[in-house]
Amino acid sequence: EDEILRGLENHDALDEVRAYTRWINRQLGSDEKLQYLLPLDVDSPDSFFVGLNDGVILCKMIQKVSKDLIDSRAINFPKNSNSNSTTNKSQSISIFKKVENLNLAINTAASIGCQTVNQDATFIMEKNETLCLGLVWQIIREGLYKQITSNIQTTKSQHIMKLSKEGENKEGEENKENVNESTEQKQAEGNMEDAASGDNSKKPEVNNEMDLD
């Protein structure tokens, strides 16, 4: 841990580690599959880097961006990983499975826009501060970007639906008024035609009494 602290002499880097640690604990703390790892110790930078070591947290972070990105069946978990007992806190998986998890996380992160050039599983397992912090931040950023974009799209859709509904109602009222005006006009025209037709066809009745006179 002393070596980690020496590598993080910059106070901003230490604050960054604490911020990411809190984010992981808050966002992933209820995940049963991560009970053997979480919560991470906010006051211990080493806890953060050790937590990333087997790739499971990174994979779970990417699932937060979208559940469709990584199938949980592709992640290598320790046996009984959903137990939070003290003995299970020290659980580990083989180095080969760790590498599989880390490669899965790195490759998937690259597919959603994260810059992963020169990054591989070894750097994370060796607790490379710069690469670990950079990868974690990029995954969080992509998740935030997707969330913001989704919220904007939802707001736009609701606004469009509202405008559409108002337009349809207005159009419906205008159509109703037009229909009423058309009906009234036709009735008036019909009455005029009837009146005109009546004047030409109907002759005055003959008053017989007047003829007799």
Side-chain angles (χ1 to χ4, degrees):
E1 185 170 351
D2 292 339
E3 184 179 349
I4 294 292
L5 287 171
R6 284 196 296 272
L8 294 171
E9 291 178 355
N10 187 330
H11 290 293
D12 291 337
L14 281 171
D15 290 339
E16 195 175 352
V17 170
R18 293 190 183 103
Y20 297 158
T21 300
R22 291 189 184 97
W23 188 94
I24 290 170
N25 287 340
R26 184 173 63 253
Q27 296 293 327
L28 303 176
S30 61
D31 193 317
E32 293 182 354
K33 287 290 188 179
L34 292 175
Q35 296 307 304
Y36 75 102
L37 285 172
L38 302 181
L40 301 176
D41 186 351
V42 177
D43 296 321
S44 171
D46 190 58
S47 176
F48 170 79
F49 294 103
V50 170
L52 303 181
N53 193 266
D54 65 4
V56 176
I57 284 179
L58 290 172
C59 288
K60 284 292 186 175
M61 287 179 65
I62 292 173
Q63 284 186 327
K64 275 288 181 180
V65 178
S66 175
K67 293 180 180 179
D68 298 329
L69 289 171
I70 295 180
D71 190 330
S72 293
R73 294 172 296 182
I75 304 174
N76 297 306
F77 296 98
K79 293 180 179 179
N80 302 320
S81 59
N82 58 344
S83 172
N84 59 1
S85 65
T86 305
T87 54
N88 285 322
K89 288 284 184 181
S90 61
Q91 281 191 68
S92 182
I93 56 178
S94 71
I95 188 170
F96 301 106
K97 290 185 177 181
K98 287 182 180 180
V99 171
E100 285 181 357
N101 286 342
L102 290 168
N103 285 335
L104 176 62
I106 292 171
N107 293 333
T108 307
S111 73
I112 59 175
C114 298
Q115 297 297 322
T116 59
V117 179
N118 298 326
Q119 291 193 18
D120 60 37
T122 304
F123 290 115
I124 297 174
M125 294 173 70
E126 292 176 349
K127 305 176 186 177
N128 183 299
E129 294 88 359
T130 301
L131 294 180
C132 287
L133 292 175
L135 182 58
V136 168
W137 161 238
Q138 288 186 86
I139 295 172
I140 293 175
R141 182 194 63 192
E142 291 301 321
L144 292 172
Y145 176 76
K146 181 171 182 179
Q147 183 178 354
I148 292 170
T149 304
S150 177
N151 290 341
I152 291 173
Q153 292 297 330
T154 300
T155 302
K156 278 186 176 180
S157 298
Q158 290 173 346
H159 187 56
I160 291 172
M161 288 177 67
K162 183 178 179 181
L163 290 176
S164 176
K165 188 174 181 180
E166 290 176 354
E168 288 174 357
N169 290 340
K170 185 176 181 181
E171 184 179 353
E173 290 173 1
E174 290 176 351
N175 289 339
K176 185 176 181 180
E177 290 176 1
N178 292 336
V179 169
N180 291 337
E181 290 177 0
S182 178
T183 302
E184 291 174 358
Q185 185 177 356
K186 287 182 179 179
Q187 289 176 347
E189 291 175 354
N191 292 338
M192 291 177 64
E193 290 177 358
D194 290 342
S197 175
D199 290 340
N200 294 329
S201 60
K202 292 183 179 180
K203 295 181 180 180
E205 294 182 356
V206 177
N207 190 332
N208 294 329
E209 293 181 356
M210 290 178 65
D211 290 340
L212 290 172
D213 291 339

